Amino acid sequence: MTAEQTRRIAYQGEPGANSHIVCKEHYPAMEALACASFEDVFAAVESGEADLAMIPIDNSIAGRVADIHHFLPDSGLHIVAEHFLRIRFSLMAVPGTSLEEIKTVHSHVHALGQCRKIIREHGLRPIISGDTAGAAREVAEAGDRTQAAISPPLAAEIYGLEVLADDVEDEDHNTTRFVVLSREYVEARPGNGPVVTSFIFNVRNLPAALYKALGGFATNGVNMTKLESYMVGGHFTATQFLAEVDGHPEDIGVRNALEELAFFTTDVKILGVYPADDFRA
């Protein structure tokens, strides 16, 4: 699926957010549709208001992105691509402001936690905002020279702020993985480069069911890159797993492993079979 075949791509956050940046980088011909919540993003694609959704799923520092697992299994949407973004934050303020004038810094709680060094260095008081780009908008609207925002560089451009310091994140490996969702199931072709297969399943209530279910991947030489568990319906005894493996379901090893998985699980559902991003290499 290419940008030319679609029209709108939805993302969570305000214009200038990291999700917006990924949309612009990989789907420049599409209109990026800002949504207030992940639920709104899923709804936009399900209703046809948007053609695709750009959803963050993992971060190298913060781990998995909360709430996504609540929407993905039952959404009816499919993963058709993945993209990785090196997360960069800038300290920005009203034009003409100096670092010495700043007293408070505004951003999303995760961004504040990932930029502790510059906050400590300048003795700033962190103020939690709902969104990194939204923090930049709020600072611009306030026009207060004692306020600054920690936001992606694109936000400074959009909201007319001046960047006082670039790359203020504490770790230079801060990277977020995004997946692209579509109403249409688009499967990567086998034998056309590295592929990722994402799926969910519930284990049967049998002794060592998970061990037996996963054994087929080991014996068939399939590399499992993700395995996460979630409670289902508030029951501690009902566990759903989200898994990802290297390879295509038509590859003999993956095919055999998925067949073995079915013996010890229920509700196996393929979420997507899509090209592996070059970042993985």
Side-chain angles (χ1 to χ4, degrees):
M1 182 172 293
T2 65
E4 289 73 17
Q5 294 172 304
T6 53
R7 299 180 303 280
R8 302 180 93 185
I9 182 166
Y11 67 93
Q12 187 277 326
E14 298 197 28
N18 284 309
S19 296
H20 186 199
I21 293 173
V22 181
C23 292
K24 286 172 64 69
E25 284 186 0
H26 295 281
Y27 300 87
M30 297 181 67
E31 177 188 352
L33 175 65
C35 297
S37 67
F38 288 124
E39 187 173 14
D40 291 339
V41 175
F42 278 81
V45 180
E46 290 168 354
S47 68
E49 182 182 4
D51 302 278
L52 299 176
M54 182 70 74
I55 296 291
I57 194 167
D58 296 299
N59 178 265
S60 60
I61 295 176
R64 73 187 184 192
V65 177
D67 296 334
I68 299 305
H69 61 278
H70 291 304
F71 302 118
L72 196 54
D74 301 320
S75 67
L77 303 183
H78 311 280
I79 303 175
V80 296
E82 67 170 1
H83 302 292
F84 290 78
L85 178 70
R86 162 74 165 85
I87 302 300
R88 289 183 164 86
F89 288 120
S90 297
L91 182 69
M92 56 191 70
V94 175
T97 302
S98 66
L99 270 170
E100 291 70 26
E101 295 177 89
I102 298 171
K103 304 300 180 185
T104 62
V105 60
H106 303 242
S107 197
H108 187 273
V109 62
H110 286 167
L112 293 171
Q114 294 167 15
C115 302
R116 290 189 177 96
K117 291 179 183 177
I118 192 167
I119 294 173
R120 239 184 357 255
E121 179 183 349
H122 295 283
L124 306 178
R125 181 163 62 91
I127 304 293
I128 296 175
S129 297
D131 178 74
T132 54
R137 175 184 53 77
E138 292 164 2
V139 167
E141 290 175 350
D144 185 346
R145 294 164 70 96
T146 68
Q147 297 181 10
I150 288 177
S151 304
L154 179 62
E157 177 184 332
I158 290 175
Y159 301 110
L161 296 179
E162 181 178 335
V163 173
L164 304 181
D166 282 314
D167 296 331
V168 298
E169 61 277 2
D170 297 339
E171 305 291 343
D172 60 7
H173 61 74
N174 189 352
T175 302
T176 296
R177 176 181 173 233
F178 294 81
V179 292
V180 180
L181 305 180
S182 169
R183 290 187 306 279
E184 181 184 1
Y185 182 75
V186 181
E187 185 175 285
R189 290 180 296 163
N192 192 38
V195 167
V196 178
T197 297
S198 298
F199 56 96
I200 55 174
F201 62 90
N202 294 349
V203 292
R204 295 182 184 275
N205 190 18
L206 299 169
L210 180 60
Y211 172 80
K212 295 174 182 176
L214 300 182
F217 294 95
T219 56
N220 285 284
V222 177
N223 183 34
M224 180 170 286
T225 57
K226 176 192 282 290
L227 180 65
E228 295 182 350
S229 63
Y230 309 98
M231 296 297 104
V232 178
H235 301 292
F236 287 95
T237 56
T239 305
Q240 185 175 78
F241 291 88
L242 168 63
E244 294 182 347
V245 297
D246 291 339
H248 195 285
E250 292 188 18
D251 297 342
I252 186 168
V254 177
R255 184 173 70 242
N256 291 340
L258 289 174
E259 287 177 358
E260 291 188 41
L261 178 70
F263 285 112
F264 305 101
T265 61
T266 60
D267 305 319
V268 178
K269 178 182 179 181
I270 301 292
L271 297 177
V273 181
Y274 48 94
D277 190 273
D278 293 339
F279 180 88
R280 290 179 178 265

